Amino acid sequence: MDNYISLNEELLEYALIGGTILGGGGGGSIDIGRRAGRIALDYTDLKLYDISVLDDDDLIATVSAVGAPAAVDQYIMPSDYIKTVQLLEKNTNQKISGIITNENGGAATINGWIQSAILNIPLIDAPCNGRAHPTGKMGSMNLDYIDNFESYQTFSGGNPEIGNNIEGFIKGDINKAAKFIRQASIYAGGLVAVARNPINAKYVKENAALNGIKHAIELGNKFSKGLKTSPAKAFEKIVSFLDGEIITEGIVSDLHLSTEDGFDVGNVKVGKYELTFWNEYMTLDNKGQRLYTFPDLIMTFDKYSGKPITTAEIQKGQDIVVIATDKSNIKLGSTMFNYDLLAEVEKIIDKDIVNFNL
């Protein structure tokens, strides 16, 4: 069996759609992901490798974008993605042998494609998480639980024409470094490219969501084939593939969204259902009765076009379809079973999260 797949324009589109769905309301803009993917594919014959191609001691770096998806001044160029990996190697004097994304999402599933193509570093199918999540710690494979682990992180982004361009390298406590990067994204206008935490492949094998990108591609394939018939058929294909369910369809009667400390926070109401989000959808209730809880996957779609709708895109008065599936039906990294990280969600959305995951 081949230990890689050759990526092309068709697989890019499947990855974008499947990644957006697995983003669960977050994971970045599909338009940003498409631009990045096309740049990478135009540059070289890009491959997605199984992690088995690396030795256990080879170092893998995680790449991502950090910020608030709805921020109006967000700005990242391809050079920002490249610069972060170069800064990481330069400042740590370490050779990066593989690149992984932090999560799935419209932009996030494509994280690493440009870096891999231009820097000739293997793109590895082992995202830190197989769905999107709000915090950097949730995409750090529980590295903060390793005694005396020192985090290395680099960042770059922001529009230089309005004085927002910022880049840098930070090392230290992984949680403090993640907060520093979040603040950097605010100064950059809402978004920065990031490379972080070189760690050996053995650790990644034990903590990442292995084959999470292939999962997104397969899901995107199912959705796209269904959409050729109708949006309704596409939704059926999704819930069948994910062993989930269509919760409801209806008009967004109420919507609250605010950008706080670099995150999008709010809630959506559709009929008797309420969805809360912290970048990604966190809870789904029916008249106060909990149906699904992060890291369960909750996602919204435009009813008429079938387009997956993120929390940054959803509009009051929009006619949407809501789907959901249990966390056991998606690929998750080790942090999604960390109750300390799940407890952080409760403080933001003021909803019980941990008890629904015990």
Side-chain angles (χ1 to χ4, degrees):
M1 184 191 303
D2 290 337
N3 53 15
Y4 68 86
I5 58 173
S6 295
L7 298 170
N8 54 37
E9 188 77 19
E10 181 181 44
L11 294 186
L12 168 62
E13 289 302 315
Y14 293 158
L16 290 165
I17 294 294
T20 302
I21 296 168
L22 291 170
S29 162
I30 195 170
D31 293 328
I32 291 175
R34 183 174 287 110
R35 288 196 296 271
R38 286 176 175 171
I39 289 170
L41 294 177
D42 286 345
Y43 191 86
T44 190
D45 295 326
L46 188 63
K47 295 179 174 61
L48 176 68
Y49 288 94
D50 187 86
I51 198 170
S52 62
V53 302
L54 298 182
D55 294 332
D56 281 353
D57 292 333
D58 286 337
L59 292 180
I60 296 176
T62 300
V63 297
S64 70
V66 169
V72 296
D73 290 327
Q74 59 176 263
Y75 182 97
I76 292 182
M77 294 295 288
S79 58
D80 291 308
Y81 295 109
I82 300 303
K83 194 175 296 179
T84 58
V85 177
Q86 292 174 328
L87 285 170
L88 193 63
E89 289 192 322
K90 177 182 178 181
N91 284 278
T92 64
N93 196 30
Q94 294 177 327
K95 179 182 180 298
I96 304 301
S97 298
I99 291 174
I100 60 174
T101 181
N102 62 315
E103 62 183 12
N104 266 315
T109 298
I110 315 303
N111 284 340
W113 289 35
I114 288 178
Q115 299 93 316
S116 176
I118 295 177
L119 298 175
N120 196 30
I121 300 173
L123 178 67
I124 305 299
D125 190 1
C128 298
N129 199 8
R131 57 152 300 146
H133 50 257
T135 70
K137 288 194 292 184
M138 290 181 181
S140 296
M141 297 182 288
N142 284 328
L143 289 170
D144 50 327
Y145 284 80
I146 298 177
D147 289 340
N148 301 316
F149 178 80
E150 187 169 48
S151 176
Y152 301 118
Q153 305 195 26
T154 59
F155 58 91
S156 181
N159 188 346
E161 294 185 2
I162 58 175
N164 278 352
N165 183 253
I166 186 171
E167 64 182 61
F169 167 79
I170 183 172
K171 67 177 180 178
D173 175 80
I174 190 170
N175 298 321
K176 292 177 180 177
K179 291 178 181 178
F180 184 95
I181 296 291
R182 179 66 58 176
Q183 288 300 309
S185 76
I186 297 172
Y187 295 134
L191 204 63
V192 289
V194 177
R196 62 178 182 246
N197 300 332
I199 193 70
N200 64 66
K202 183 177 186 296
Y203 187 89
V204 176
K205 292 173 184 177
E206 295 169 349
N207 289 275
L210 302 183
N211 300 313
I213 305 304
K214 291 190 187 76
H215 191 231
I217 291 172
E218 291 170 2
L219 175 59
N221 183 12
K222 298 290 185 183
F223 175 90
S224 298
K225 288 181 177 178
L227 194 59
K228 290 179 180 179
T229 300
S230 68
K233 189 65 175 178
F235 305 146
E236 289 178 14
K237 291 282 190 180
I238 293 168
V239 296
S240 175
F241 181 77
L242 294 175
D243 197 18
E245 61 177 323
I246 298 173
I247 301 297
T248 189
E249 59 181 60
I251 303 295
V252 176
S253 59
D254 202 7
L255 169 65
H256 296 280
L257 184 154
S258 61
T259 299
E260 304 171 9
D261 297 324
F263 294 95
D264 292 337
V265 183
N267 68 295
V268 176
K269 290 185 179 178
V270 182
K272 61 185 180 180
Y273 298 94
E274 180 185 26
L275 300 81
T276 63
F277 59 86
W278 184 25
N279 280 13
E280 289 75 28
Y281 289 113
M282 295 287 122
T283 61
L284 172 59
D285 290 351
N286 178 356
K287 293 182 177 180
Q289 180 181 356
R290 181 66 53 82
L291 301 181
Y292 288 91
T293 304
F294 180 87
D296 293 340
L297 184 71
I298 306 161
M299 190 54 188
T300 49
F301 301 80
D302 183 269
K303 178 180 177 180
Y304 299 107
S305 68
K307 177 186 176 183
I309 303 296
T310 66
T311 60
E313 298 167 331
I314 201 163
Q315 300 287 326
K316 187 175 180 179
Q318 192 169 21
D319 206 346
I320 67 169
V321 172
V322 181
I323 69 105
T325 191
D326 186 83
K327 61 180 179 289
S328 62
N329 298 321
I330 56 179
K331 295 181 182 297
L332 299 176
S334 58
T335 56
M336 293 294 94
F337 304 94
N338 184 324
Y339 295 148
D340 292 340
L341 297 184
L342 296 178
E344 292 185 7
V345 180
E346 298 181 340
K347 302 173 186 177
I348 303 298
I349 65 169
D350 195 27
K351 295 270 190 177
D352 192 353
I353 299 293
V354 173
N355 285 334
F356 286 97
N357 281 283
L358 295 177

